[in-house]
Amino acid sequence: MYEEDFARVYDDIYRRHKDYAGEAARIRELALERNPGAADLLDVGCGTGEHLALLRDDFAVTGVDLSAPMVRVAEAKLPGVPVHEGDMRTFGLDRSFDVICSMYSSVGYLETLDGLFAALKNMAHHLRPGGVLIIEPWILRDSWNGGDLVEASFENEGGKVVRMGRWTTRAGRSHVEMHYLVTSGDDPVRHFVDEQELSLFSKDEYEEAFRAAGCSVEYLPDGYVDRGVFVGVRQP
């Protein structure tokens, strides 16, 4: 998942596909509403660091991501910002934070409900009491339509990225094999496949995982495509 080929074109695709500025503003708003003095933020599943780049003027930011190629892109983009390679279930940083966020459905890549509980427990462990935990889920189980064909093309500097894949349901999980065609300048057209599976957890399961981690929880359905966002505060 998110190997070198995909990491190289990730920003070309998602800078045109996602409202990073709007999402960063919403993270800031949700965090400061619940913890007005929040000073530092950890982004778990930070990818190439686009949210970190937009939040670094408001918080002292740190990132964690499972993919080594994505971490390398983030480090090059954000000199001086700590970005660590690690699994959200088990990473360990010798410090705590006022805000932890995990965006763009990163928790959906957890294969089991036990993994979701472990990840939220680990994140909460890195929160100070009163700290804010913001999780953007993958599509909730009751909202999953079984799968769709997705296709898009994106211009990059001197080239183009074209992608196509069909989401399906396999053993109760969402699955896609996304095919990419990439060209830049006079380079030959490259083709690679990025295969992804995301778990279809229910709203109740997310909320139970928050509470088991020692956090309050509320679900806000608006503002993040069709996924909503879960927000909690670590209890004393």
Side-chain angles (χ1 to χ4, degrees):
M1 181 180 70
Y2 294 171
E3 297 302 330
E4 196 71 46
D5 281 333
F6 192 26
R8 288 168 58 189
V9 300
Y10 190 93
D11 284 342
D12 291 330
I13 296 169
Y14 289 107
R15 281 176 178 162
R16 293 157 176 80
H17 183 62
K18 287 176 59 60
D19 179 12
Y20 281 109
E23 292 174 8
R26 183 64 168 148
I27 292 167
R28 186 183 307 111
E29 176 187 24
L30 291 171
L32 295 179
E33 280 178 350
R34 291 156 180 80
N35 188 344
D40 45 24
L41 176 146
L42 173 66
D43 186 357
V44 178
C46 67
T48 62
E50 284 292 295
H51 290 118
L52 294 175
L54 291 162
L55 290 164
R56 66 187 304 186
D57 289 339
D58 302 283
F59 306 98
V61 296
T62 301
V64 173
D65 200 275
L66 181 63
S67 167
M70 300 288 266
V71 168
R72 287 195 291 271
V73 173
E75 287 176 329
K77 183 186 299 182
L78 298 166
V81 172
V83 184
H84 306 273
E85 184 180 344
D87 187 312
M88 65 174 64
R89 296 165 294 186
T90 57
F91 74 86
L93 305 180
D94 190 23
R95 57 162 302 182
S96 55
F97 298 85
D98 294 321
V99 184
I100 295 179
C101 65
S102 184
M103 307 307 294
Y104 210 19
S105 305
S106 296
V107 294
Y109 293 102
L110 297 164
E111 296 179 357
T112 65
L113 186 58
D114 286 345
L116 178 66
F117 273 64
L120 265 67
K121 181 178 180 180
N122 191 35
M123 292 185 218
H125 174 73
H126 286 81
L127 272 178
R128 300 185 184 100
V132 183
L133 179 59
I134 303 169
I135 302 288
E136 182 186 4
W138 177 232
I139 298 169
L140 300 178
R141 185 185 302 143
D142 290 346
S143 302
W144 177 245
N145 64 7
D148 285 311
L149 177 70
V150 289
E151 55 182 320
S153 61
F154 307 89
E155 302 290 335
N156 61 16
E157 294 183 5
K160 190 170 186 178
V161 179
V162 179
R163 69 172 186 169
M164 178 180 291
R166 186 180 296 278
W167 284 100
T168 60
T169 307
R170 292 188 182 180
R173 305 182 75 212
S174 56
H175 176 271
V176 68
E177 292 182 3
M178 196 73 75
H179 291 254
Y180 288 84
L181 296 172
V182 181
T183 185
S184 181
D186 295 326
D187 293 343
V189 175
R190 296 186 294 114
H191 169 258
F192 66 91
V193 178
D194 180 65
E195 188 169 355
Q196 300 183 35
E197 285 196 355
L198 288 92
S199 294
L200 298 166
F201 301 120
S202 71
K203 176 175 175 288
D204 287 346
E205 288 169 338
Y206 280 106
E207 291 176 341
E208 187 179 354
F210 266 80
R211 288 189 287 266
C215 296
S216 65
V217 61
E218 56 184 315
Y219 176 64
L220 306 175
D222 299 325
Y224 288 84
V225 196
D226 52 359
R227 304 171 195 177
V229 63
F230 290 94
V231 184
V233 175
R234 183 182 170 188
Q235 302 304 296

